[in-house]
């Protein structure tokens, strides 16, 4: 996978997800090894988020495999101030969603598959 996917299209996809799901504040796309691809952030450091999310996704994948639950879909971390949701985008990328306490988690789970598929198609087309 390459990180040369059209940056504008990826950023537009991130903004669209933020607009469709209540509580989503910031989003990041990264490679599965933690390299930043695109971001729609205001306060978070996207490079740091990308690296930490890759570690979280790797740990989640390993845990799911170890306990026999199949392929990982997402890792949800709930903190006092909100959520960090890391979604697998194929085998080589990830989507990070930073959200406040008001996150519509069911809404995110409804919208995420289409967003992930769209991001994957953009990344695949650019490869």
């Amino acid at each position: 996978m390459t990180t040369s996917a059209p940056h504008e299209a990826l950023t537009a996809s991130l903004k669209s997800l933020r607009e469709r799901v209540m509580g989503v504040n910031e989003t990041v796309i990264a490679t599965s090894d933690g390299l930043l691809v695109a971001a729609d952030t205001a306060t978070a450091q996207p490079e740091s988020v990308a690296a930490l999310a890759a570690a979280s996704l790797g740990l989640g994948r390993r845990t799911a495999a170890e306990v026999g639950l199949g392929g990982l879909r997402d890792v949800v971390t709930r903190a006092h101030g909100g959520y960090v949701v890391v979604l697998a985008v194929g085998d080589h990328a990830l989507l990070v969603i930073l959200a406040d306490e008001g996150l519509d988690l069911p809404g995110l789970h409804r919208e995420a598959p289409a967003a992930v598929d769209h991001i994957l198609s953009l990344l695949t087309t650019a490869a």
Side-chain angles (χ1 to χ4, degrees):
M1 186 192 82
T2 180
T3 60
S4 63
H7 190 267
E8 297 81 19
L10 289 169
T11 303
S13 183
L14 294 175
K15 288 180 181 177
S16 175
L17 181 62
R18 181 171 37 90
E19 292 167 356
R20 289 190 323 268
V21 180
M22 183 173 48
V24 173
N25 296 324
E26 301 181 84
T27 49
V28 173
I29 299 170
T31 63
S32 59
D33 56 356
L35 299 175
L36 179 65
V37 175
D40 176 30
T41 61
T43 59
Q45 297 296 321
E47 293 85 2
S48 296
V49 170
L52 291 167
S56 176
L57 184 69
L59 183 59
R61 278 187 170 145
R62 177 73 179 131
T63 302
E66 183 65 30
V67 298
L69 292 178
L72 181 73
R73 293 189 306 190
D74 57 53
V75 175
V76 179
T77 303
R78 184 172 180 210
H80 288 290
Y83 296 82
V84 178
V85 181
V86 182
L87 299 119
V89 178
D91 292 330
H92 304 289
L94 58 90
L95 169 62
V96 184
I97 296 161
L98 305 176
D100 59 36
E101 284 278 327
L103 174 63
D104 177 8
L105 196 54
L108 177 61
H109 283 133
R110 279 190 308 274
E111 295 289 335
V116 166
D117 287 346
H118 184 248
I119 291 166
L120 183 59
S121 72
L122 292 170
L123 293 172
T124 303
T125 301

